[in-house]
Amino acid sequence: MSIGLRCRHDRSVRELAAGMFGEGRGYKSVARSLGIPAEAVRKWQQTYRATGRDGLLKMGEKHSRYDFETKVAAARAVVDDGMAKPEAMERFGIASATPLKQWCRLYREGGAGALRPKPKRRWRT
């Protein structure tokens, strides 16, 4: 177990999982081998497919930022073109399903303009 609050399993466990994914093993097999819940390993597998070994090993270090064009293209592919979310994650290099789900929701509600960066509120003193 890791000491950090954001990541429950340390890098060595994710390295083992990445090696098993590289061998072509599925998430259920890897979960059984490592004694980790299958749902967590399924998310690791999605991250591995989208960003590769390096992306999986860097989990929990920092949040990725995506530009406006990537957000719109990914949301449009899922909402308008019917692409599966894991496939869109792989194609556009999105590390987590959570931001993609949020982008799709915003895109459905307000179109591409809803994904534009919002200005930061900085109060004058």
Side-chain angles (χ1 to χ4, degrees):
M1 294 282 173
S2 71
I3 297 172
L5 298 174
R6 293 210 31 93
C7 197
R8 291 186 180 193
H9 304 287
D10 59 5
R11 183 182 172 104
S12 62
V13 176
R14 291 194 312 271
E15 284 178 1
L16 291 172
M20 291 179 197
F21 293 146
E23 294 170 358
R25 293 177 62 179
Y27 74 91
K28 290 181 183 177
S29 171
V30 173
R32 273 188 303 248
S33 297
L34 298 176
I36 298 173
E39 185 62 25
V41 179
R42 185 179 66 80
K43 290 179 182 179
W44 289 0
Q45 187 180 41
Q46 288 177 343
T47 301
Y48 178 81
R49 287 180 177 165
T51 60
R53 180 182 180 90
D54 292 335
L56 179 62
L57 298 180
K58 290 181 181 179
M59 281 178 57
E61 289 182 9
K62 75 173 208 169
H63 294 281
S64 298
R65 298 223 179 248
Y66 302 97
D67 61 349
F68 173 71
E69 291 79 18
T70 303
K71 291 178 184 181
V72 172
R76 186 173 288 144
V78 172
V79 175
D80 294 341
D81 301 337
M83 183 183 289
K85 288 177 185 166
E87 185 181 343
M89 288 173 60
E90 290 177 42
R91 183 170 175 200
F92 297 103
I94 302 166
S96 176
T98 303
L100 181 59
K101 290 177 187 176
Q102 183 179 10
W103 300 339
C104 291
R105 181 182 53 79
L106 290 171
Y107 182 78
R108 282 187 195 101
E109 292 172 358
L115 297 174
R116 287 218 177 271
K118 308 294 187 282
K120 302 284 185 202
R121 295 233 178 204
R122 294 198 173 95
W123 302 98
R124 289 187 164 194
T125 57

